[in-house]
Amino acid sequence: MRFPLACVLLFVAFSAAVVGTPATATDLFVAPGGDDANAGTPDKPLATIAKARDAVRQVIAAGLKSDVNVYLRAGVYRFDKPLMFGPEDSGNETYAVTYAAAPGETVVVSGGQPITGWKRGEGDVWVAPVPGVKEGKWNFRHLFVNGRRAVRARTPNADAENPDWQLKGADLAADLSRYTLTFPPGLLGAWSNQSDIEIMVAGNWEINRLPVQSIDREAGVVVLAPPHAQGHDAIRPAAGRWCHFVGAPELLDQPGEWYLDRPSGMLRYWPLPGENMLTAEVTAPVAERLVEVKGLPDRPVRNLHFRGLRFEHMGLGLPPGGYLG
């Protein structure tokens, strides 16, 4: 006989020896190999955190009479958009709602998708197709290889004796219509895909990340992509500020660096010594945030907990005009 999920959640409790919590708590279980049609018991877990959240809402709507625990079994739970929590997901002053890794197990909540299909390209570089990139449906600025954030192809290189150059000057038009940076002769290269290039300019205590529109190599002038804004005097680009460039294919020149070629939809990566691209775990972000909790002035969210979870593989995009510290 099948019972409604709400009834199962309200009345089924498990011993402290199994879950490490008081037997009076309401417990729900989720596992990567589960099924959202299941009841959420240890032997029949749900498959997604979202389904568990929706089931917990039923318990809360009926009136909390105990703590509620959602136990996530070991594995990776992938999101492509934030999991939303509001007043309807809230504990109260007496009872808590907790999402936790099962005791002794490793749980990863990931905002990324695996990149597979790697093949050797030119020289030491490996390549893999990334669905949706060529069509403009996916673009990312971060990459994770075997749990390590890889270096986006850059110049000067991150391990160079001097990993940054100094600006010769910066000029922002009074009407904010044009923003140019100037460099000493001989620094700028003949770089392609210039609209994908970014420049990092360090301020006194913050950084700027600015998209490039075009580069005049001979004149040593970089034109930044609009829209433009007047940044803080202590942070905005100026003569003497330290900077480096990322995001051109010609900058992929050492192990550990990567480049996403949007026109072709191909990802390029130069493996570190000992990395095997046939077995490497390569992940690119599709989500900027994994969890959002939003309460209301008259209905706050309280006593909601997340314990023992690893949140990984998020990646911020670049807003129009760039990041200004």
Side-chain angles (χ1 to χ4, degrees):
M1 179 180 296
R2 295 179 62 93
F3 294 93
L5 181 58
C7 293
V8 174
L9 294 176
L10 282 169
F11 298 113
V12 175
F14 303 94
S15 71
V18 174
V19 300
T21 57
T24 55
T26 300
D27 298 323
L28 185 64
F29 292 81
V30 185
D35 188 327
D36 278 346
N38 285 343
T41 58
D43 57 334
K44 292 186 177 180
L46 298 170
T48 66
I49 303 174
K51 183 64 175 181
R53 177 206 57 192
D54 295 345
V56 171
R57 285 178 178 174
Q58 299 179 39
V59 179
I60 294 171
L64 284 177
K65 299 177 177 62
S66 67
D67 291 337
V68 177
N69 300 305
V70 176
Y71 289 101
L72 308 180
R73 303 306 305 270
V76 179
Y77 300 80
R78 300 192 184 278
F79 292 179
D80 59 6
K81 58 185 177 181
L83 186 64
M84 308 296 294
F85 292 88
E88 64 273 26
D89 305 299
S90 177
N92 56 32
E93 293 181 353
T94 304
Y95 299 115
V97 175
T98 300
Y99 294 77
E105 300 190 18
T106 300
V107 174
V108 175
V109 180
S110 172
Q113 290 295 325
I115 305 295
T116 59
W118 289 95
K119 296 182 179 180
R120 184 180 289 278
E122 297 182 3
D124 294 312
V125 174
W126 286 64
V127 298
V130 185
V133 168
K134 185 177 181 179
E135 297 77 15
K137 298 178 181 179
W138 191 15
N139 181 28
F140 48 87
R141 301 170 58 251
H142 308 264
L143 188 72
F144 303 87
V145 181
N146 292 332
R148 171 188 56 85
R149 186 188 298 271
V151 177
R152 195 174 177 193
R154 56 170 281 174
T155 192
N157 285 326
D159 61 354
E161 182 177 355
N162 186 352
D164 291 282
W165 293 330
Q166 282 188 291
L167 286 176
K168 183 179 178 181
D171 181 64
L172 175 61
D175 62 358
L176 305 182
S177 62
R178 182 177 172 85
Y179 207 159
T180 59
L181 308 178
T182 54
F183 290 81
L187 288 182
L188 302 178
W191 304 327
S192 55
N193 291 353
Q194 293 183 0
S195 61
D196 278 350
I197 297 175
E198 298 173 19
I199 182 171
M200 186 292 297
V201 182
N204 286 359
W205 60 78
E206 257 284 15
I207 66 168
N208 305 271
R209 290 195 179 274
L210 306 168
V212 169
Q213 185 176 72
S214 63
I215 297 175
D216 186 332
R217 181 187 181 191
E218 298 301 324
V221 174
V222 173
V223 179
L224 299 177
H228 305 305
Q230 184 82 35
H232 191 287
D233 288 348
I235 298 174
R236 70 182 182 215
R241 298 260 191 238
W242 296 99
C243 64
H244 63 257
F245 291 88
V246 300
E250 294 81 6
L251 307 184
L252 180 55
D253 60 0
Q254 69 173 22
E257 290 189 339
W258 65 276
Y259 170 71
L260 179 64
D261 189 276
R262 291 205 291 167
S264 67
M266 299 296 290
L267 175 62
R268 305 178 193 173
Y269 176 68
W270 189 330
L272 290 171
E275 284 183 333
N276 183 347
M277 297 311 296
L278 298 179
T279 58
E281 294 183 0
V282 182
T283 306
V286 294
E288 292 191 356
R289 298 178 307 282
L290 290 177
V291 173
E292 291 187 12
V293 181
K294 295 184 178 181
L296 300 171
D298 58 337
R299 296 179 63 207
V301 179
R302 65 181 66 181
N303 224 345
L304 174 64
H305 306 268
F306 302 90
R307 294 198 174 112
L309 311 179
R310 289 169 49 183
F311 293 94
E312 298 185 357
H313 308 139
M314 293 168 286
L316 287 176
L318 199 66
Y323 173 74
L324 304 175

